[in-house]
Amino acid sequence: MSSPAMAIDKRKTNTEDDNILEVTALKKHFPISSGIVFQRQVGAVRAVDGVSFNVIRGETLGLVGESGCGKSTTGRTILQLYRPTEGSVKFEGQELSTMTGNDLRQMRRRMQIIFQDPFASLNPRMTVGSIVSEPLQIHKMYANKKERQQYVEQLMEKVGLNPYFINRYPHEFSGGQRQRIGIARALALQPSFIVADEPISALDVSIQAQVVNLMEELQDELNLTYLFIAHDLSMVRHICDRVAVMYLGKIVELGPVDEVYENPQHPYTQALLSAVPVPDPVVEENRQRIIISGDLPNPASPPTGCNFNTRCPVAFDLCYQEPDPPLIEVRPDHFVSCHRVT
Amino acid sequence: MSTLLDVKDLVVRFYTQEGTVYAVNGVSFELEEGETLGIVGESGSGKSVSCLALMGLIPSPPGKVEAGTVMFEGRDLLTLKPDQMRLIRGKEIAMIFQDPMTSLNPVLTIGTQITESLKLHEGMNTSQSRKRAADLLDMVGIPDAYRRLDDYPHQFSGGMRQRVMIAMGLSCNPKLLIADEPTTALDVTIQAQIIELVKQLKDEFNMAMIWITHDLGVVAGIADRIQVMYGGRIMESGTSNEVFRDSRHPYTVGLLGSLPRLDSSGEEKLTQIEGSPPDMRNEPAGCPFAPRCDVREYLQLEKCWDQRPPLENVPDADGGSMHIMSCWADIREGVAENV
């Protein structure tokens, strides 16, 4: 039995692609402490609890799941915005989890993040120009102020903002334009890898397509690799090449996007996909919904056995006794972690 | 079936320090008994404000209902006095709000909150109302309902809180339930649970329902009729099939084209609507969608800028069809493939 990372490795060496990112057994536990003077740890929220995957250069990997499943934490832990509790994150062959200080700061040139909320992630007291040029100043990319400003204007044009607005403040822009500012800031250092943490979920429907199209154009033009974190499964199918489905801190299914959507193997993926409404009354009428009961368990005290056993419609003895099985390749590049499948 | 609700030429404005906000600019629609109407629109389209107006819930000042009538069972709700309106609100017309955390009072037990309207409208005493409240919670799928009456909202998850809101809305058997984005704050698997529950309860109670949402997918499955709003006006309205499968308004067409579909692989690029939603502080003289409309641009229509298109039957509608829209252009005039 091969691990998912290895199997994709093998296939990809043949086609001369390479992995830009390799995540192995990554864990991020947030401590719960108690006591006022003498703090002691009484438990941990297992936000990310052992995920392994890789991202191939030039692709878009979707990371989907419901709120609280650990998808955003995974993205931030990869960028070392949270330091991992365990496990390894290799970016372009270099181990990030042990890297600190200036070394890490240098790596940040090549990996950036676009945040979800374009209202909260831009400093209201900075002009667009200073927001976009701040990374350039920190990394001392342009010695001369004039050149830097020219470059910022180019960037603004590239993301569809009028450079004339360089001295305006974020509140003077609409949500979609603000997200473009966030994208320009992420692109400023010419990264090769971008974590997009729900970049469109705060935007109006008619604006979402604009931002997604922009992200796709930039990807082609600049050969970017995206980790696209989202809960909108329809958009993930549109934009992503491969998708990883997370539940309670673990990846339950991983594979090429059309394969997973047309042939979901894990009962959670099946339920999740069947719950997404389709804007077509005829399709809606003929759909069979799998409604799973209950809510997401508390990640501080996950159930014994498989994480999904509290809501799973097809759980049997083994699911309550044995922890979730490792990801197993059921079809080429399609991995599932389920006792029913093995 | 007879008409339950008849809204005519509703105009709502907000007088703020930054100027007048033209939130709703002449909205008319009807609702039959037992019918489900889906109102779809983006933020600022006036979909919530028009429903708050008919409930008499527009904060005033700054808001003001400037014109229009809302006939509900023979009475114009807009002319009722506050204490008359209070007898209707919660009893005849109930509302479920978007965010179940902020719309429940955090310092009162949910038992207190559900029994409040039962005591007020049905004249029940404490033990009767508690029993009825427990029955309602049981009906919306909350386990161990009687014991949970003494719990506070924070002890429930998001989906459970929305179930409590639904139980409160249904407590007095309303004739009309207005659901304002009831599932927007919830995850998709929980959303599916709530939609299934509401569908089933709607039949059981034989209510009419208005479901306000920005998610075209959600209403496709539940609404009999769909009404698309933009810039405080109705753009297109008709049965679900008409609006989704035979869309005639450029905005509806654009909106559907900009949505990726779960059931098709996404090779083709999404068609995008250029520009941003209108600033509601300027009252548009013509069609509010004109600045973003590619059909107007293609046909070089000038009157879109200064003349409001009337809400009329679509060209070549079937006899008796309810399919209406507000647009000067006929999108099928060979432009569909060019834009």
Side-chain angles (χ1 to χ4, degrees), chain A residues 66-67 204-207 210 213 217 234-235 237-238 258 261 273 277-279 281-282 292-295 311, chain B residues 42-43 157 187 189-191 193 217 241 244-245 259-262 265-266 268-270 272-275 292:
Chain A
E66 296 178 280
S67 45
D204 265 323
V205 184
S206 73
I207 306 297
Q210 293 177 1
N213 284 348
E217 283 159 25
S234 313
M235 197 55 93
R237 178 160 199 185
H238 174 77
D258 286 341
Y261 277 56
L273 288 170
V278 173
V282 176
I292 48 172
S293 54
D295 291 305
R311 301 170 81 189
Chain B
E42 297 177 89
S43 47
S157 67
D187 279 314
T189 57
I190 310 295
Q191 169 173 286
Q193 292 174 4
N241 267 326
F244 281 106
R245 311 207 78 157
L259 285 179
R261 289 274 299 253
L262 185 78
S265 60
E268 67 286 351
K269 229 179 137 178
L270 298 175
Q272 61 188 51
I273 304 177
E274 301 294 341
R292 302 175 76 187

Side-chain angles (χ1 to χ4, degrees), chain A residues 65-68 174 177 180 204-214 216-217 231-239 258 261-262 268 271-285 287 289-296 311, chain B residues 41-44 157-160 187-193 195-196 199 214-222 230 240-242 244-245 251 255-277 292:
Chain A
E66 296 178 280
S67 45
S174 68
Q177 288 171 317
R180 289 173 195 263
D204 265 323
V205 184
S206 73
I207 306 297
Q208 290 186 352
Q210 293 177 1
V211 173
V212 164
N213 284 348
L214 173 69
E216 287 183 320
E217 283 159 25
H231 63 252
D232 180 345
L233 285 113
S234 313
M235 197 55 93
V236 165
R237 178 160 199 185
H238 174 77
I239 196 172
D258 286 341
Y261 277 56
E262 263 148 42
Y268 178 64
L272 196 61
L273 288 170
S274 88
V276 178
V278 173
D280 187 333
V282 176
V283 175
E284 277 293 308
E285 207 164 302
R287 272 176 97 196
R289 280 236 151 80
I290 309 167
I291 304 249
I292 48 172
S293 54
D295 291 305
L296 199 70
R311 301 170 81 189
Chain B
E42 297 177 89
S43 47
S157 67
M160 285 293 171
D187 279 314
V188 277
T189 57
I190 310 295
Q191 169 173 286
Q193 292 174 4
I195 290 175
E196 218 44 45
K199 265 190 193 167
H214 66 268
D215 188 335
L216 286 153
V218 169
V219 282
I222 52 178
Y230 187 83
S240 303
N241 267 326
E242 285 164 346
F244 281 106
R245 311 207 78 157
Y251 176 63
L255 209 54
L256 285 168
S258 70
L259 285 179
R261 289 274 299 253
L262 185 78
D263 51 354
S264 72
S265 60
E267 297 309 320
E268 67 286 351
K269 229 179 137 178
L270 298 175
T271 54
Q272 61 188 51
I273 304 177
E274 301 294 341
S276 357
R292 302 175 76 187

Side-chain angles (χ1 to χ4, degrees), chain A residues 133 136-137 141-154 166:
Chain A
S133 65
L136 303 170
Q137 291 177 27
M141 296 279 279
Y142 288 91
N144 155 339
K145 204 172 168 188
K146 198 164 167 227
E147 276 176 38
R148 192 163 66 211
Q149 173 151 354
Q150 272 175 356
Y151 177 65
V152 170
E153 284 175 2
Q154 275 174 25
I166 191 162

Side-chain angles (χ1 to χ4, degrees), chain B residues 118-130 132:
Chain B
L118 290 170
K119 286 175 180 167
L120 179 73
H121 292 301
E122 309 283 332
M124 290 185 180
N125 63 27
T126 303
S127 62
Q128 284 171 328
S129 61
R130 276 179 70 85
R132 171 84 178 131

Side-chain angles (χ1 to χ4, degrees), chain B residues 14-283:
Chain B
F14 291 88
Y15 297 93
T16 66
Q17 287 190 335
E18 287 99 58
T20 307
V21 177
Y22 297 85
V24 178
N25 307 310
V27 162
S28 306
F29 61 91
E30 285 180 16
L31 192 67
E32 306 276 306
E33 277 173 17
E35 190 185 26
T36 304
L37 173 70
I39 303 186
V40 188
E42 297 177 89
S43 47
S45 62
K47 56 191 191 305
S48 294
V49 173
S50 43
C51 287
L52 288 174
L54 64 93
M55 288 283 278
L57 288 176
I58 296 287
S60 172
K64 191 155 184 261
V65 180
E66 291 284 352
T69 55
V70 177
M71 298 305 286
F72 179 77
E73 298 197 306
R75 285 189 290 179
D76 183 357
L77 297 184
L78 296 179
T79 60
L80 294 184
K81 296 203 171 60
D83 51 343
Q84 291 175 307
M85 195 62 216
R86 213 169 290 141
L87 294 177
I88 291 180
R89 217 186 283 130
K91 166 92 176 122
E92 310 277 337
I93 309 178
M95 195 154 181
I96 307 172
F97 296 93
Q98 172 174 357
D99 185 345
M101 192 63 227
T102 50
S103 46
L104 289 169
N105 188 332
V107 296
L108 296 177
T109 64
I110 60 140
T112 313
Q113 298 186 54
I114 301 177
T115 53
E116 188 183 1
S117 62
L118 290 170
K119 286 175 180 167
L120 179 73
H121 292 301
E122 309 283 332
M124 290 185 180
N125 63 27
T126 303
S127 62
Q128 284 171 328
S129 61
R130 276 179 70 85
K131 175 141 195 338
R132 171 84 178 131
D135 290 345
L136 285 163
L137 286 185
D138 192 49
M139 192 179 63
V140 296
I142 291 181
D144 202 6
Y146 200 82
R147 199 184 53 74
R148 299 221 67 180
L149 285 177
D150 297 319
D151 283 351
Y152 289 89
H154 73 266
Q155 290 165 294
F156 291 81
S157 67
M160 285 293 171
R161 265 182 239 143
Q162 199 56 283
R163 286 170 193 263
V164 172
M165 284 295 293
I166 293 170
M168 281 170 70
L170 297 179
S171 58
C172 300
N173 299 331
K175 297 198 177 70
L176 170 62
L177 182 69
I178 301 175
D180 187 358
E181 308 235 12
T183 58
T184 305
L186 306 174
D187 279 314
V188 277
T189 57
I190 310 295
Q191 169 173 286
Q193 292 174 4
I194 297 290
I195 290 175
E196 218 44 45
L197 174 73
V198 171
K199 265 190 193 167
Q200 171 211 329
L201 291 174
K202 198 189 98 60
D203 290 343
E204 224 167 273
F205 282 72
N206 193 26
M207 296 178 294
M209 192 161 71
I210 299 179
W211 189 294
I212 304 171
T213 182
H214 66 268
D215 188 335
L216 286 153
V218 169
V219 282
I222 52 178
D224 302 315
R225 219 147 47 79
I226 310 267
Q227 176 172 309
V228 182
M229 287 188 68
Y230 187 83
R233 313 245 296 142
I234 295 172
M235 297 283 107
E236 183 166 4
S237 169
T239 63
S240 303
N241 267 326
E242 285 164 346
V243 172
F244 281 106
R245 311 207 78 157
D246 185 22
S247 337
R248 299 291 184 86
H249 196 284
Y251 176 63
T252 319
V253 175
L255 209 54
L256 285 168
S258 70
L259 285 179
R261 289 274 299 253
L262 185 78
D263 51 354
S264 72
S265 60
E267 297 309 320
E268 67 286 351
K269 229 179 137 178
L270 298 175
T271 54
Q272 61 188 51
I273 304 177
E274 301 294 341
S276 357
D279 182 349
M280 303 300 286
R281 282 173 295 185
N282 309 317
E283 188 179 21

Side-chain angles (χ1 to χ4, degrees), chain A residues 78-244:
Chain A
I78 287 169
L79 297 180
Q80 307 299 313
L81 296 175
Y82 299 140
R83 302 316 297 257
T85 310
E86 259 178 53
S88 120
V89 178
K90 266 194 183 150
F91 179 73
E92 295 186 325
Q94 284 173 283
E95 179 61 49
L96 297 182
S97 57
T98 51
M99 204 181 268
T100 51
N102 206 34
D103 292 342
L104 188 58
R105 196 165 301 126
Q106 289 308 313
M107 293 306 286
R108 293 247 160 83
R109 283 190 186 196
R110 289 189 272 153
M111 44 183 211
Q112 282 290 327
I113 184 165
I114 302 169
F115 292 99
Q116 169 175 8
D117 186 344
F119 294 79
S121 59
L122 302 175
N123 187 336
R125 297 177 187 218
M126 288 167 77
T127 62
V128 176
S130 46
I131 288 171
V132 178
S133 65
E134 194 179 20
L136 303 170
Q137 291 177 27
I138 290 168
H139 290 274
K140 302 189 175 63
M141 296 279 279
Y142 288 91
N144 155 339
K145 204 172 168 188
K146 198 164 167 227
E147 276 176 38
R148 192 163 66 211
Q149 173 151 354
Q150 272 175 356
Y151 177 65
V152 170
E153 284 175 2
Q154 275 174 25
L155 269 175
M156 286 177 71
E157 220 156 320
K158 191 171 271 179
V159 299
L161 287 170
N162 190 339
Y164 178 73
F165 298 143
I166 191 162
N167 289 321
R168 295 208 179 174
Y169 289 88
H171 75 266
E172 297 174 79
F173 294 89
S174 68
Q177 288 171 317
R178 263 182 260 208
Q179 201 54 291
R180 289 173 195 263
I181 300 171
I183 293 174
R185 172 175 65 184
L187 291 176
L189 295 169
Q190 301 173 344
S192 46
F193 175 64
I194 291 180
V195 173
D197 188 0
E198 309 224 24
I200 54 163
S201 52
L203 304 177
D204 265 323
V205 184
S206 73
I207 306 297
Q208 290 186 352
Q210 293 177 1
V211 173
V212 164
N213 284 348
L214 173 69
M215 285 182 65
E216 287 183 320
E217 283 159 25
L218 292 169
Q219 179 169 41
D220 290 345
E221 191 186 328
L222 307 170
N223 192 24
L224 295 169
T225 309
Y226 290 135
L227 179 65
F228 190 84
I229 300 170
H231 63 252
D232 180 345
L233 285 113
S234 313
M235 197 55 93
V236 165
R237 178 160 199 185
H238 174 77
I239 196 172
C240 296
D241 303 304
R242 288 192 305 141
V243 62

